[in-house]
Amino acid sequence: MRLMIMFDLPTLTSQDRRNYRQFMKKLRLDGFTKMQESIYTCVLIDATSAKFLTNKVELYAPSKGLIQALPITEKQYEAMRYLTGKKKDTPDRRFERLVVI
């Protein structure tokens, strides 16, 4: 299972840019990797962990802008077609086990 976070955040003011940088930093700390400019993905073990992580991201998401979360299966992710560009040679398989207590 993967969780895809897609976002469009404002960067007009210095506070907006700071919020943007902090949001991306927190995504990386939560195990997300950059897929494209404003699209990050994270490998997870199941749908429950995807829901938990979605709720966590919602807590630190900036109030301005648009942020969307999309859980997808590995089969759906592997079926992605590349219309232009090339697939990365190194697969994105890193994930640290998420423990919920």
Side-chain angles (χ1 to χ4, degrees):
M1 166 116 336
R2 286 184 186 250
L3 180 62
M4 185 178 295
I5 299 289
M6 302 164 282
F7 57 93
D8 185 17
L9 300 175
T11 56
L12 299 175
T13 67
S14 61
Q15 184 63 43
D16 288 343
R17 289 187 292 276
R18 182 176 187 271
N19 290 341
Y20 181 87
R21 287 189 308 272
Q22 286 181 340
F23 180 68
M24 289 192 312
K25 182 179 180 181
K26 288 178 183 176
L27 286 177
R28 289 190 299 270
L29 288 173
D30 278 340
F32 285 89
T33 55
K34 186 176 185 177
M35 188 173 169
Q36 288 186 11
E37 189 60 36
S38 295
I39 300 176
Y40 282 70
T41 62
C42 184
V43 178
L44 299 166
I45 54 175
D46 59 10
T48 303
S49 58
K51 185 176 181 178
F52 175 79
L53 189 54
T54 300
N55 291 338
K56 184 178 179 184
V57 171
E58 188 175 14
L59 291 175
Y60 62 75
S63 57
K64 290 182 180 178
L66 175 65
I67 301 172
Q68 299 166 299
L70 176 66
I72 56 175
T73 65
E74 281 298 314
K75 188 173 182 179
Q76 290 169 328
Y77 186 81
E78 292 299 325
M80 183 183 332
R81 289 183 51 206
Y82 289 82
L83 304 179
T84 61
K86 294 182 181 178
K87 187 175 183 176
K88 288 194 295 187
D89 292 335
T90 56
D92 176 24
R93 296 277 181 214
R94 81 167 214 204
F95 86 78
E96 297 169 16
R97 187 168 197 124
L98 183 64
V99 179
V100 180
I101 299 175

